[in-house]
Amino acid sequence: MNREQQVLDRIERVRRRKATVREERITLAHGAGGQATHTLIEAIFLEAFRNPMLAPLDDGALLTLEGERAAFTTDCFVVSPLFFPGGDIGDLAVNGTVNDLAMCGAVPRHLSAGFILEEGFPVADLRRITASMAAAASAAQVTIVTGDTKVVPRGKGDGCYITTAGVGLVEQPSALSASAARVGDAVLVSGPIGEHGAAIMLARGDFDIEAPIASDTAPLHGIVAELLDALPGQVRTLRDATRGGVATVLNEVARASEKAVILEESAIPVRPEVTGVCELLGLDPLYVACEGRFVAVVAAEHADRALDLLRRHPLGGDAAIIATVAADPAGLVLLRTAFGGTRVVDVLVGDPLPRIC
Amino acid sequence: MNREQQVLDRIERVRRRKATVREERITLAHGAGGQATHTLIEAIFLEAFRNPMLAPLDDGALLTLEGERAAFTTDCFVVSPLFFPGGDIGDLAVNGTVNDLAMCGAVPRHLSAGFILEEGFPVADLRRITASMAAAASAAQVTIVTGDTKVVPRGKGDGCYITTAGVGLVEQPSALSASAARVGDAVLVSGPIGEHGAAIMLARGDFDIEAPIASDTAPLHGIVAELLDALPGQVRTLRDATRGGVATVLNEVARASEKAVILEESAIPVRPEVTGVCELLGLDPLYVACEGRFVAVVAAEHADRALDLLRRHPLGGDAAIIATVAADPAGLVLLRTAFGGTRVVDVLVGDPLPRIC
């Protein structure tokens, strides 16, 4: 066989090559940028996220943004375990970034996804994760338009870490910020708290506890858009209560606005199963992460309207007014307990719930 | 001391609290979203990246984009070692995303940065990395406007992984793509190849080789803008030759355009030190990563102009025309060796250089 024939044969082989990942586990070669990387991208990522902006596999995606104001955010996901009741790292990574955009008052549009995979990670798991990301993206009406994959050697990662970034459009200019809270404002939470964190703790199997708790992971831009549309200029702050829970969000509001947040213990919605698990684990649900709940600071006179609106939405069934903004003690969150006492709700010290998201 | 006095004392303590990271090493608490996370963000990230869009520390950053077309890209960085001659993971992460935007023909504007830190990582190293990112961002005229930090337990990471995403503006609509190469086009490389990869291999200290090789990490948007401005519509493809090197980029061009790329071995610029190290390590410089070089496919009649322009730029001193685009063998890269032979330059199989970026 002469050289030319060899070359022609090679061409035929290249052309016939179908993008199929034959390996069952991720190898360093999948991160090397060569053939294995190409195959992985085509067979797994393109297959799951198929859209015209991603398809050219150029170095970035070109977006057409009709507005002049855009929001931009990023989140890293290192949750353990990767799969848990109610979701997995994939939909968590999509919803987390969708929600951060929603909290800026933006309509989420495009996501990027960066994967840091550990050598030996099962390809089937990656497939399951990307399918879950694709479903979450579709539900949230966003497209995953660009990405990157690196593989680290065994023992230098933990299966799969995902970093998503997102771009959204800000249609209505607003000054949403944790610093915008004013004295008298009402603080609402969009549903019962602590479910994601409790679900993850149970899924780890470190405790001999079983309880019917699933992660609340969900995209919040729809419910947020309804709130912003109904009450233009009356919503001061939006924050999703993820890592650190509602207590952390309220502390961020108190500090940024230099106001006090006075929280009513009896008003905080927590499902009995979550209360039970938290008691067993010695956790305060106020600090336990949600992935589908947000805190809204709303002008007092519109609080009831906001509450009514949230409760009519499928993701806001148990919404509640849980706190008010006061002048003093500025910078602090005070909890009025069910027994009439008062205590400071501080920010977390230490990490009672590592790798919750 | 009564309750009220206690609360007032707490307020004073909170107010006096200055953002200083007292720990020498990263702990899980730095990733928990509580006090330690806040302190880390304020003392390290805000301090390094200080800009008005990042400062509010809301869930995302609001951008004002004057154009309608934006480019969006992401890259994960897992380079080992974190510090190497010519740079570190920090400027690599900034330049890498700046360059991906430049390769889309965009003017880089805003970056996000997601950090996955391993418990025990020295805070001093994080400070050094963020300082390097800030300097690179300033040099590339981009702002780091949003970010996230997670901490994973010891043995579940390797010090510091960074995922950057970037948004840039596309001022001149263009159809830059690996698929746009046409028969007869010239292929240029902007400088000598393989320096980043060779520098990393040597920095690992696994080989008893010393050579004066530094990473070529650099922001390429300036030199690219000059090329695009001078030759509107004449540049078909731009790709930075990172992981997988120039050989991988040329294969991407060949496959996406369904053309052949005919490479002249004698024309490829490689510094003698890099050639020497590659020979010792059994590597082909064509596959070794650059972080400050790009490949441009340019209409034949403008190739000399492009070459002249690149060579006048500080980052393009040794630019060269290294290949031409032909019709056959479509999808393949052929190398004409210095001895008159021809061989196929395939895409990488396996990973000879893991964690190069």
Side-chain angles (χ1 to χ4, degrees):
Chain A
M1 196 158 63
N2 64 16
R3 177 176 303 277
E4 194 174 340
Q5 188 58 49
Q6 283 177 343
V7 167
L8 289 173
D9 284 359
R10 280 294 310 281
I11 298 171
E12 244 342 271
R13 282 209 302 280
V14 166
R15 285 193 177 134
R16 278 199 307 260
R17 201 147 50 189
K18 274 205 52 172
T20 314
V21 177
R22 289 198 187 80
E23 300 84 3
E24 287 190 358
R25 293 187 172 270
I26 294 294
T27 67
L28 287 173
H30 285 120
Q35 184 54 49
T37 304
H38 277 264
T39 305
L40 187 77
I41 290 170
E42 287 183 19
I44 309 270
F45 299 122
L46 260 188
E47 195 57 37
F49 307 149
R50 198 165 288 284
N51 68 64
M53 277 180 287
L54 180 62
L57 292 180
D58 285 318
D59 277 328
L62 291 182
L63 320 176
T64 305
L65 301 173
E66 300 86 6
E68 288 223 333
R69 295 278 282 177
F72 182 34
T73 185
T74 193
D75 253 328
C76 306
F77 295 85
V78 300
V79 66
S80 171
L82 296 172
F83 303 96
F84 45 81
D88 60 42
I89 192 173
D91 48 21
L92 200 63
V94 169
N95 289 337
T97 286
V98 162
N99 291 348
D100 278 349
L101 291 171
M103 298 306 130
C104 303
V107 180
R109 293 290 294 272
H110 306 295
L111 301 192
S112 67
F115 294 82
I116 297 177
L117 304 176
E118 186 189 11
E119 184 185 14
F121 186 63
V123 170
D125 286 356
L126 183 59
R127 216 180 281 277
R128 191 172 154 200
I129 289 166
T130 53
S132 160
M133 293 179 79
S138 168
Q141 293 169 286
V142 297
T143 45
I144 298 169
V145 295
T146 189
D148 189 32
T149 307
K150 293 289 179 344
V151 178
V152 293
R154 244 174 254 273
K156 302 291 185 190
D158 194 15
C160 174
Y161 298 145
I162 303 177
T163 300
T164 46
V167 174
L169 282 183
V170 182
E171 291 177 352
Q172 300 171 353
S174 76
L176 286 170
S177 174
S179 63
R182 300 183 200 171
V183 172
D185 285 350
V187 180
L188 291 85
V189 66
S190 67
I193 68 174
E195 285 162 34
H196 175 75
I200 296 293
M201 295 307 286
L202 294 186
R204 284 188 193 156
D206 296 341
F207 312 100
D208 196 18
I209 308 172
E210 285 193 27
I213 303 176
S215 168
D216 56 325
T217 178
L220 293 171
H221 62 298
I223 186 170
V224 160
E226 287 192 23
L227 188 66
L228 293 177
D229 286 349
L231 301 173
Q234 305 302 325
V235 181
R236 322 282 196 210
T237 312
L238 292 172
R239 286 272 169 132
D240 53 341
T242 60
R243 188 170 49 163
V246 167
T248 300
V249 168
L250 297 182
N251 269 284
E252 287 169 358
V253 170
R255 288 187 178 190
S257 65
E258 298 180 7
K259 303 284 184 301
V261 174
I262 314 298
L263 187 57
E264 291 294 337
E265 188 171 44
S266 60
I268 303 165
V270 194
R271 293 218 167 111
E273 309 89 274
V274 172
T275 306
V277 166
C278 285
E279 278 174 5
L280 285 169
L281 301 181
L283 297 171
D284 182 341
L286 271 175
Y287 292 94
V288 178
C290 317
E291 290 288 341
R293 311 289 179 218
F294 65 98
V295 168
V297 181
V298 177
E301 60 273 32
H302 298 280
D304 289 335
R305 174 97 196 278
L307 181 65
D308 185 54
L309 193 147
L310 294 181
R311 285 188 172 167
R312 285 170 194 274
H313 194 281
L315 291 174
D318 292 306
I321 298 174
I322 59 170
T324 52
V325 178
D328 288 305
L332 290 191
V333 179
L334 292 189
L335 180 77
R336 282 206 194 116
T337 67
F339 306 107
T342 302
R343 65 175 174 89
V344 173
V345 176
D346 206 350
V347 291
L348 270 181
V349 178
D351 191 357
L353 299 171
R355 300 184 62 192
I356 215 71
C357 59
Chain B
M1 196 157 67
N2 64 16
R3 177 177 303 278
E4 195 174 339
Q5 189 57 49
Q6 281 177 344
V7 167
L8 290 174
D9 283 359
R10 281 293 310 281
I11 298 172
E12 246 338 274
R13 283 208 302 280
V14 166
R15 285 195 179 134
R16 279 198 307 259
R17 202 147 50 189
K18 274 206 51 169
T20 315
V21 177
R22 289 196 186 80
E23 300 83 3
E24 287 191 358
R25 293 188 172 270
I26 293 294
T27 67
L28 287 174
H30 286 120
Q35 183 54 50
T37 305
H38 276 264
T39 305
L40 187 78
I41 290 171
E42 287 182 19
I44 308 273
F45 299 122
L46 260 189
E47 195 58 36
F49 306 149
R50 198 165 288 283
N51 68 63
M53 276 180 288
L54 179 62
L57 292 179
D58 285 318
D59 277 329
L62 291 182
L63 320 175
T64 305
L65 301 173
E66 300 86 6
E68 288 223 333
R69 295 277 283 176
F72 182 34
T73 185
T74 193
D75 253 329
C76 305
F77 295 86
V78 299
V79 66
S80 172
L82 296 172
F83 303 96
F84 45 82
D88 60 41
I89 191 173
D91 48 21
L92 200 63
V94 169
N95 289 339
T97 287
V98 161
N99 290 349
D100 278 348
L101 290 171
M103 297 307 130
C104 302
V107 180
R109 293 290 294 272
H110 306 292
L111 301 192
S112 67
F115 294 83
I116 298 177
L117 304 176
E118 186 189 11
E119 183 185 16
F121 186 63
V123 170
D125 286 357
L126 183 60
R127 216 180 282 277
R128 191 171 155 201
I129 289 166
T130 53
S132 160
M133 293 179 80
S138 168
Q141 295 169 285
V142 296
T143 45
I144 298 170
V145 293
T146 188
D148 189 33
T149 308
K150 293 289 181 339
V151 179
V152 294
R154 242 174 255 271
K156 302 293 185 190
D158 195 15
C160 174
Y161 297 146
I162 302 177
T163 301
T164 46
V167 173
L169 282 183
V170 183
E171 291 176 352
Q172 300 170 354
S174 77
L176 286 169
S177 174
S179 63
R182 301 183 200 171
V183 172
D185 285 351
V187 181
L188 292 85
V189 66
S190 67
I193 68 174
E195 284 163 34
H196 175 76
I200 296 292
M201 295 307 285
L202 293 186
R204 284 187 194 155
D206 296 342
F207 312 101
D208 198 19
I209 307 172
E210 285 192 27
I213 302 176
S215 168
D216 56 326
T217 177
L220 294 171
H221 62 297
I223 186 171
V224 159
E226 286 191 23
L227 187 66
L228 293 178
D229 286 349
L231 300 173
Q234 304 303 325
V235 181
R236 322 282 196 210
T237 311
L238 293 173
R239 286 271 169 134
D240 52 340
T242 60
R243 188 171 48 164
V246 167
T248 300
V249 167
L250 297 182
N251 269 283
E252 288 169 357
V253 169
R255 288 186 178 190
S257 65
E258 298 179 7
K259 304 283 184 300
V261 174
I262 314 296
L263 186 57
E264 292 293 338
E265 187 172 44
S266 60
I268 303 165
V270 194
R271 295 218 165 111
E273 308 90 272
V274 172
T275 307
V277 166
C278 284
E279 278 173 6
L280 285 169
L281 301 182
L283 297 171
D284 181 342
L286 270 177
Y287 292 94
V288 178
C290 317
E291 290 289 340
R293 311 290 179 220
F294 65 98
V295 168
V297 181
V298 177
E301 61 273 31
H302 299 279
D304 289 334
R305 173 95 196 279
L307 181 65
D308 186 53
L309 193 146
L310 293 181
R311 284 188 173 166
R312 287 171 193 274
H313 193 281
L315 292 174
D318 292 306
I321 298 173
I322 59 169
T324 52
V325 178
D328 289 306
L332 290 192
V333 179
L334 292 189
L335 181 77
R336 282 206 195 115
T337 67
F339 307 106
T342 301
R343 65 174 173 91
V344 172
V345 176
D346 206 349
V347 292
L348 269 182
V349 177
D351 190 357
L353 298 170
R355 301 183 62 194
I356 213 72
C357 58

